[in-house]
Amino acid sequence: MPEQQQQSPPQPVLAIESPEQHAALAHPMRQRLLFLLGHRPATISQLAARLGTGKGNVAHHLKVLRTAGLVHVAETRKVRGGTEQYYQRVGERMAVAEPRAEGTAAMLEAVAQELGRSERTTLSLRHVRLSPDKARQLGETLARLVDEAEEDVEGEPVHGVLVALYEHAQPPDAG
């Protein structure tokens, strides 16, 4: 039987604040790794197979995420004379109080890649005029809906949920 070493489960919310964390989030592959590591720990080999890329590529991006404090080794197992490491996100959720354009672009590109591989997708974009109070209420309602979504048992398909409420930037005055 393989020897195991386990670490603590992820914290509920990880605040994204440091420049290293923001830089780590600025690549679609790292975003996709974070997506995959949100539900259960996985090895480099498992992640490479799921993403259809090489183990060296996954190892590089995991190192960046680990250095930034976004993933950690959740478990190690001794197997066939070697040590297998299982990586996991540090936080179940990540809260980015001040999103940066490069991180947002990388996340949206990663989501687009996931959508391209999905068999069933619901995607809706609507622009509406809202007062600041109504925009705040809508944002809170959307966040609550996502936060309160109950997960089914293990073995059911994993679904991604992306919710964004943003205010259009005002064009500069023309005169």
Side-chain angles (χ1 to χ4, degrees):
M1 179 171 224
E3 178 185 324
Q4 284 184 228
Q5 174 190 351
Q6 291 189 312
Q7 293 188 4
S8 60
Q11 59 193 36
V13 178
L14 175 65
I16 304 301
E17 299 169 332
S18 76
E20 294 81 15
Q21 289 172 323
H22 283 284
L25 292 174
H27 195 286
M29 176 60 73
R30 293 193 283 269
Q31 293 278 350
R32 292 185 71 204
L33 285 166
L34 290 168
F35 296 166
L36 289 175
L37 294 172
H39 282 84
R40 72 173 62 89
T43 65
I44 289 173
S45 295
Q46 291 168 337
L47 292 165
R50 293 274 315 271
L51 293 169
T53 191
K55 291 190 281 187
N57 189 29
V58 169
H60 164 74
H61 289 293
L62 280 174
K63 181 179 178 184
V64 173
L65 290 169
R66 192 171 178 195
T67 300
L70 300 175
V71 301
H72 66 104
V73 176
E75 184 178 340
T76 58
R77 294 181 185 176
K78 297 280 187 190
V79 289
R80 295 184 290 274
T83 301
E84 200 170 54
Q85 295 182 321
Y86 285 77
Y87 294 86
Q88 185 174 32
R89 273 196 335 220
V90 170
E92 288 177 19
R93 297 183 184 149
M94 290 180 279
V96 184
E98 295 181 27
R100 296 190 180 168
E102 59 274 9
T104 301
M107 184 197 50
L108 291 174
E109 184 176 334
V111 168
Q113 291 171 10
E114 295 290 314
L115 290 173
R117 296 175 48 142
S118 177
E119 293 180 21
R120 282 186 276 174
T121 300
T122 302
L123 182 63
S124 175
L125 173 63
R126 181 174 174 209
H127 293 105
V128 293
R129 293 185 184 277
L130 299 172
S131 68
D133 189 49
K134 284 185 180 176
R136 181 190 52 75
Q137 289 174 8
L138 178 58
E140 289 171 355
T141 299
L142 292 170
R144 189 173 55 254
L145 283 171
V146 172
D147 289 346
E148 292 174 356
E150 298 225 6
E151 291 202 34
D152 284 336
V153 296
E154 186 74 24
E156 292 296 331
V158 175
H159 292 77
V161 179
L162 172 66
V163 175
L165 177 65
Y166 60 95
E167 184 176 337
H168 275 254
Q170 297 297 319
D173 285 339

